[in-house]
Amino acid sequence: MRTPKDYTDNTGKPNWCPGCGNFGIEAGLKMAMSKLNLDPDNVALVSGIGCGANAPYWFNTYGLVTLHGRPLPVATGVKLGNHELTVIAWSGDGDAYGIGMGHFIHAMRRNANVTYLVGNNTVYGLTKGQASPTAEKGQISPSTPFGTPDPNIDPLALAMSSKCSFIARGFAGNLPHLSNLIAEGIKHKGFSLIDIYQPCVAWDKTHGYAYYQEKTFDLATVNHDVTNKQAALKMIFDKSEKLPIGIFYKEEREVYEDEQPQFKRGPLAHRDIENINIKAIFDQYSF
Amino acid sequence: MVGGTAGEGVDLPGTLFGKLCMSAGLRLKTNAEFHSVIKGYNNIYQIRASENPVYSHMSKYDLVLALDKDTTDLYMDDVVPGGGVIYDPDITKVEREGVKLFPVPLRAIAKEKVGLELAKNVVGIGAACGLLDYPIDILLDLLIKTFARKGKEITSKNIDAAQAGYNYVRENFPKEFDYIIKPKKNPEKTFMANGNYMITFGAIKAGCKFVSEYPMTPSSSVLHCMAKHAREYEISVNHVEDELSAINMAIGAGFSGCRSMAATSGGGFSLMTEAVGFAGMTEIPIVIVEVQRPGPSTGLPTRSGQGDLRQVLHASQGDFPKIVLSPGTHEEAFYMAFEAFNLAEMYQCPVILLTEKYLGEGDANIPFPDTTNLKINRGQLLDDNQIDDNFLRYKNTKNGISPRSIPGQKGGAHTASSYEHREDGYFTEEIDECNSIHERRMRKLDTLKNLLPPVVIEGKENAEVTLVCWGATYGPAYEAIEWLKKKGISANLLHVKYLSPLQPGINEALSKTKRPILIEGNITAQLGGLIAEKVGIDIQSKILDYSGRPFTPDQIAREVIKIIK
Ligand SMILES: Cc1ncc(C[n+]2csc(CCOP(=O)(O)OP(=O)(O)O)c2C)c(N)n1
Ligand SMILES: [Mg+2]
């Protein structure tokens, strides 16, 4: 069996601020990988641009640090190119729900077998703390000195309406819970969204560890039925008292690549491409 | 030429006529001029056929099938003396000296015979078949094939319509037209497709296994053709949410080890721009097809142009190697598409196949390309057993090309990053490391420059003028040589096929010419600028057409004469 250390690349050390929530996500992901005993050479970790998105450097899996907002299409391409790989995408909330919003929605309805981790820290960490799309109306930031004029996006509600087949939320400060959640997400056949409450010690002083520790509770403790859409929606929208974490909704539905006969004979990347018979096509257009 | 109103079926008689010519063993080339609307407006479908290979369409017509009034109002002056016009006397009048008029009540016949006015186009093509003294059976056979999937009733209605049109002209205008279609003896076997399809076939032959696209005229038929053949050739073809997704997905598939491609037009390419640099930086092979239409912005969506050369050459911030090639003919579209995938893997960089609507959407029939010399070259892609403990994905090598591993391979794990990085892929801002890898990437193209075939001058040496062009302007320019010859002017041709790196030999070739004249489908002579910059020769004479209509040989000849006289 592998341990979380077996997924670490020792070339360098993460350059996140001390206390950054990304350490929790990194640890949670490595724990999940070891729990599933994944072979690092068969894993592709695909990130965007942001603080969290630097993570692939510190994993010994195959990694791709892409462009701001684009990890999902790239991850989908990797998965479809070789569907035997475990493909994990990692974004910040700006990456996922701002510049990458279009891809987010379409990836969910597409339902390729990709796991998506989104560090939800309410800010653009890397560019010095501007409000992200998950910031609540009124949040003060360098780009919104008088408070953000826009109300926040609710990614889980969007996921529900976008036919996402696995919708979950974790907290970077609750490792046992988070690592389980990520393992469940990886095991899930189809697209899995795991939005992760992630304290940003540098730019968002209101949503720290203590805040989430106090506010969150595990959905598993309240008999939540993860197959019930109405129950899931209720949990997603009801934020009056406490913030639920865990799996909100889960369903088995057709996986994009599994439905297509093209993929049946193994990864497309491994196909023999010498001597493809193109004459057969010319014949079809000879009339 | 077939002219009619959009939405009434101008394409059908056009393609049927093309297939008729093909069945007679003729070679043909087509061009469709249509508006960016689904219904209304006059559209034309031009077909040029000959016993010999055809390189260009023409702006003069031997026979016009006018399905609407606009066609006769607009195009009668373009019918050659002795040519003919089939038109519906119930909707339009035609007066023109020296042209044979064939009034055929297309609508009335369609209504009477099949109860459907819409069938007038098939009545018309039956009439054309009769006038040209070509066996109707062949047309009926084509109709059966065309409508097979729509059921017996529709097929038999179309057959009745064609037969009625045929009978009408046989009775009313027996042997009145001087043109006939004479089947060629022992014709070479050909197949017919547009340039986008040819590119798709080249890509399939090259082992492209992943395609992601967002539809954009005039590139969409690449997506359609790929999708149609996706299961047969086991290719993942994906109509995705936008061009950002298309290119990034294709890059992801490229990283996984698939040969992958995205096709678009200028606007979609603008959206892809950032990712072109991403592929350049991470050295992930990827092929992008850009089928030009005139810009700027939405421009003229259904027309042709060559205004995007500069945009693809300079796509994305910073310097990185990028290969740009542009085919002149349907054959070349097939071969260059194949080559593009080899180049992408050999040089681990984005390769852009730049073409235009004229080639992309224009049909031609060509003999089956010889594929015996098409060899897959995957460059420095390592086998599993070639990866050792010291593997460095971005190793500093002499020729600049670093051996590549793909996910799943033991010991090949690395991070491919859009940030500047070291030989092992880890990010860096150290001056020496940054400089060294930047220089290595740029070095990759040095070897390519030596590999490219130098340009050749086609036609007579020492000609009075040399037509310099790129892309599908090749066809009309090639035929213009004959036109000029008839006017006593000797001309030859220099077609530039590789635009980045710029094809070698241009300096030598131009130094042998007397009077080079640029012929380009844009307003700033973009190739001219490139040659001036890279070769140091600033070609002064230019024929530039940015109307959105492709050049025709007669037009080029006329303009050349204006310049030299
Ligand atoms: C196209 C583009 N626009 C803007 C940027 C600048 N940029 C880099 S990261 C970032 C925001 C990151 O925020 P988030 O995704 O929430 O990640 P975090 O840093 O909070 O982890 C921005 C705007 C960029 N790199 N690319
Ligand atoms: Mg953020």
Side-chain angles (χ1 to χ4, degrees), chain A residues 20-38:
Chain A
C20 173
N22 278 316
F23 286 106
I25 302 177
E26 181 207 3
L29 176 54
K30 286 179 179 170
M31 284 163 72
M33 287 172 162
S34 69
K35 202 170 290 181
L36 301 173
N37 198 29
L38 301 178

Side-chain angles (χ1 to χ4, degrees), chain A residues 8-16 23 26 54 57-58, chain B residues 426-427:
Chain A
T8 300
D9 184 302
N10 290 312
T11 308
K13 291 239 174 309
N15 52 14
W16 297 311
F23 286 106
E26 181 207 3
N54 284 330
Y57 297 118
W58 306 303
Chain B
Y426 201 79
F427 66 92

Side-chain angles (χ1 to χ4, degrees), chain B residues 114-157:
Chain B
V114 299
L116 202 67
E117 200 181 294
L118 211 64
K120 63 179 182 293
N121 51 3
V122 181
V123 175
I125 207 70
C129 192
L131 270 187
L132 293 163
D133 199 22
Y134 196 64
I136 178 92
D137 316 0
I138 299 177
L139 175 61
L140 301 185
D141 216 49
L142 281 172
L143 286 169
I144 292 171
K145 280 186 199 152
T146 308
F147 291 101
R149 262 192 274 146
K150 302 214 164 149
K152 275 217 173 90
E153 201 192 323
I154 296 202
T155 309
S156 79
K157 279 195 171 164

Side-chain angles (χ1 to χ4, degrees), chain A residues 11-13 15 39 41-42 49 54 56-58 60-67 70 73-74 76-78 80-82 85 102-103 106 110 126 256 259-263 265 268-269 271 273-287, chain B residues 19 22 189-192 197 201 204-207 209-210 228-236 238 241-242 245 248-249 252-253 255-256 258-259 275 278 368-369 376 405-419 422 424-427:
Chain A
T11 308
K13 291 239 174 309
N15 52 14
D39 174 355
D41 284 324
N42 281 326
I49 297 293
N54 284 330
Y57 297 118
W58 306 303
N60 65 355
T61 62
Y62 279 83
L64 248 170
V65 179
T66 69
L67 296 169
R70 313 297 161 220
V74 178
T76 307
V78 176
L80 298 181
N82 182 349
L85 300 172
H103 307 314
H106 290 278
R110 189 174 291 124
L126 191 65
Y256 188 75
E259 278 203 309
Q260 301 179 39
Q262 287 92 316
F263 295 91
R265 293 194 308 117
L268 296 176
R271 296 299 165 82
I273 58 169
E274 307 280 341
N275 305 318
I276 287 173
N277 175 8
I278 198 69
K279 194 180 156 287
I281 255 188
F282 300 156
D283 277 326
Q284 290 176 48
Y285 292 84
S286 291
F287 308 111
Chain B
K19 287 177 184 176
M22 201 172 139
K189 189 170 182 187
T190 61
F191 70 104
M192 180 158 68
Y197 273 54
F201 300 160
I204 293 174
K205 175 66 185 161
K209 288 288 161 216
F210 187 89
K228 187 169 151 194
H229 296 289
R231 295 195 170 180
E232 194 182 336
Y233 285 94
E234 297 192 322
I235 302 165
S236 172
N238 307 276
E241 61 269 23
D242 53 34
S245 184
N248 282 289
M249 243 188 228
F255 179 71
S256 82
C258 272
R259 288 192 155 192
F278 168 47
F368 286 23
I376 301 284
S405 66
I406 55 172
Q409 287 186 315
K410 295 270 157 290
H414 61 273
T415 297
S417 176
S418 64
Y419 283 91
R422 310 187 307 211
D424 59 359
Y426 201 79
F427 66 92

Side-chain angles (χ1 to χ4, degrees), chain A residues 67, chain B residues 273-274 277 314-320:
Chain A
L67 296 169
Chain B
T273 302
E274 190 190 20
H314 303 296
S316 218
Q317 67 273 24
D319 291 311
F320 60 94

Side-chain angles (χ1 to χ4, degrees), chain A residues 92-94 119 121 123-125:
Chain A
D93 44 10
N121 59 4
V123 291
Y124 288 177

